[in-house]
Amino acid sequence: MTARILALDVGEARIGVAISDASQILASPYTTLEVAGNEVRLWEALRRIIEENEVEALVVGLPVSLDGQIHQQGERVLAFVERLKRHIKIPVDLWDERLSTVEAQRLLAEREQEEGGRRSRRGGHRGGQGKGGRNRQGIDALAATLILQQYLNHRHQAPEEASQ
């Protein structure tokens, strides 16, 4: 395999984007896109990312509640995917993203705590982004990465599980 898979974590303000490696085994954060009113620019940005990275498929995280229902945010994502499909030519899969943002926040908090500990031992000062800015963007891209990694893991396990 040589083409990549892209994943989106669609939020109201931002969309986290992650991309697989060419072998479709490892997911990495790619970027964060602002949703801000102008969808034309959003579609253009997504098309450019797809073309520049030779993406063959897109995975969109679908927020499903813990009881298995699709509520308001899930409905927004489904509507977004329907609009998106009119602007791209690659297949789109939905992936249950339950708790991906929560997990992304936990991972970032752990990383910040580790980095803070190293800085304080060196006598450095802890800069950081506080509650806004790049930290939130990092959560969005990391959430997309978790969605994509789960999707990739599932794809690679499925044939093995079927043969057992």
Side-chain angles (χ1 to χ4, degrees):
M1 287 184 243
T2 57
R4 299 172 190 271
I5 297 176
L6 201 68
L8 304 180
D9 178 45
V10 179
E12 290 183 47
R14 290 171 304 281
I15 297 174
V17 182
I19 194 163
S20 75
D21 62 339
S23 62
Q24 299 180 0
I25 292 173
L26 185 63
S28 300
Y30 188 77
T31 190
T32 301
L33 301 172
E34 297 296 322
V35 173
N38 187 347
E39 279 195 341
V40 172
R41 265 192 291 211
L42 181 60
W43 307 139
E44 288 171 0
L46 285 169
R47 275 197 301 263
R48 186 172 51 254
I49 292 168
I50 289 166
E51 289 172 17
E52 289 173 359
N53 293 285
E54 298 178 10
V55 173
E56 73 173 13
L58 183 64
V59 177
V60 178
L62 179 63
V64 179
S65 67
L66 293 178
D67 65 3
Q69 301 296 309
I70 296 175
H71 296 291
Q72 187 176 7
Q73 184 59 24
E75 294 293 338
R76 278 193 210 113
V77 169
L78 290 172
F80 172 85
V81 168
E82 287 308 308
R83 292 190 310 276
L84 173 64
K85 286 179 178 179
R86 295 182 218 139
H87 299 278
I88 62 171
K89 295 176 172 73
I90 60 174
V92 178
D93 279 337
L94 294 170
W95 186 256
D96 181 351
E97 67 151 52
R98 257 178 269 203
L99 304 177
S100 63
T101 301
V102 172
E103 179 67 5
Q105 289 169 332
R106 186 189 67 75
L107 290 171
L108 276 178
E110 269 182 21
R111 186 172 73 191
E112 288 174 357
Q113 191 173 24
E114 289 171 7
E115 289 173 358
R118 285 195 295 268
R119 284 190 190 111
S120 64
R121 284 193 293 273
R122 291 191 313 242
H125 123 88
R126 179 136 165 66
Q129 292 291 322
K131 291 189 175 192
R134 287 180 46 175
N135 197 28
R136 285 195 185 142
Q137 290 180 357
I139 289 170
D140 296 326
L142 186 55
T145 305
L146 293 170
I147 291 164
L148 182 54
Q149 192 63 60
Q150 291 168 358
Y151 177 84
L152 295 172
N153 292 349
H154 177 77
R155 284 186 55 177
H156 288 289
Q157 288 174 346
E160 294 168 14
E161 290 172 357
S163 66
Q164 292 178 351

